[in-house]
């Protein structure tokens, strides 16, 4: 008989690392519920996956992104980072939000550069002879707009979670 270690890997550790992950994932779950009006299917603070210590699985029932929901989606992506900041303090946030931050940044830059959701409805690209059908962000306007959107989304995530701090703590503890 083979002895597999999956059950051992999936077992609750109830250590500092799992507490951090629980707070982080609870932040995503709460922002999903309140801002995206979608209940997560799975919320885990422990995983046997090699690339994931924990995760929230949410299946949005629509296959499009409208301009009115971009900030909420970004706030949901930043919800774990915001939760860590609220519970542990800014000086104790972890590297665990790297992928979430990249996704939020990628979402808004794609919407602004390709989706026409910025102050000018245009497609932008780096300046090159092959990009003659695109505008070029010479004055860094798109980056400034993206930073503004990211700051606004982070503030929304923080405010949402501060209002729901008791739920955040209870969900993380569970």
């Amino acid at each position: 008989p083979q002895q597999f270690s999956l059950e051992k890997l999936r077992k609750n550790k109830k250590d500092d690392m799992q507490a951090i992950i629980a707070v982080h994932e609870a932040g995503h779950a709460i922002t999903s519920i309140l801002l995206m009006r979608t209940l997560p299917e799975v919320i885990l603070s422990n995983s046997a996956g090699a690339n994931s210590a924990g995760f929230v699985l949410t299946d949005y029932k629509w296959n499009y992104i409208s301009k009115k929901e971009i900030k909420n989606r970004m706030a949901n992506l930043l919800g774990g980072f915001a939760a860590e900041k609220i519970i542990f303090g800014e000086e104790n946030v972890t590297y665990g939000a790297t992928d979430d931050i990249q996704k939020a940044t990628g979402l808004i830059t794609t919407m602004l550069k390709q989706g026409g959701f910025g102050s000018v409805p245009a497609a932008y690209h780096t300046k090159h002879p092959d990009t003659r059908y695109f505008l070029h962000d010479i004055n860094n306007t798109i980056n400034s707009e993206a930073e503004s959107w990211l700051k606004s989304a982070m503030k929304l995530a923080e405010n949402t979670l501060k209002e729901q701090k008791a739920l955040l703590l209870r969900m993380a503890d569970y």
Side-chain angles (χ1 to χ4, degrees):
Q2 295 292 317
Q3 201 158 5
F4 298 104
S5 60
L6 273 183
E7 290 307 314
K8 184 179 172 185
L9 290 170
R10 289 181 178 145
K11 188 176 180 182
N12 279 331
K13 295 167 185 67
K14 297 188 180 187
D15 59 7
D16 288 348
M17 187 63 162
Q18 188 172 7
I20 293 166
I21 295 164
V23 166
H24 182 101
E25 300 306 336
H28 286 304
I30 292 168
T31 55
S32 176
I33 294 165
L34 296 175
L35 300 176
M36 298 304 298
R37 304 285 190 237
T38 303
L39 190 63
E41 294 177 24
V42 176
I43 307 166
L44 293 176
S45 63
N46 196 18
S47 170
N51 297 325
S52 176
F55 61 91
V56 173
L57 177 62
T58 306
D59 184 21
Y60 298 116
K61 301 298 179 200
W62 58 98
N63 295 323
Y64 58 86
I65 299 175
S66 64
K67 189 172 184 174
K68 70 180 180 184
E69 79 178 71
I70 293 173
K71 187 162 89 168
N72 287 4
R73 275 196 188 235
M74 291 170 55
N76 182 230
L77 288 166
L78 298 171
F81 188 67
E84 288 184 37
K85 186 176 171 184
I86 291 165
I87 300 303
F88 303 119
E90 188 162 355
E91 66 282 353
N92 293 313
V93 294
T94 68
Y95 188 70
T98 304
D99 187 53
D100 299 330
I101 291 168
Q102 288 176 359
K103 285 178 182 175
T105 305
L107 173 62
I108 193 55
T109 55
T110 299
M111 295 296 107
L112 294 172
K113 290 180 177 182
Q114 297 173 12
F117 285 7
S119 57
V120 176
Y124 290 83
H125 208 290
T126 54
K127 199 167 189 171
H128 185 274
D130 293 339
T131 62
R132 66 180 180 265
Y133 300 111
F134 296 89
L135 295 180
H136 312 291
D137 191 22
I138 298 166
N139 298 326
N140 227 15
T141 305
I142 296 295
N143 284 339
S144 296
E145 286 186 49
E147 285 177 6
S148 178
W149 277 85
L150 285 160
K151 287 176 186 175
S152 180
M154 184 64 179
K155 188 173 184 84
L156 176 60
E158 287 175 353
N159 289 342
T160 301
L161 293 172
K162 282 177 184 173
E163 289 174 6
Q164 299 295 327
K165 189 173 180 180
L167 176 60
L168 175 62
L169 287 168
R170 188 164 181 141
M171 186 180 286
D173 185 53
Y174 180 77

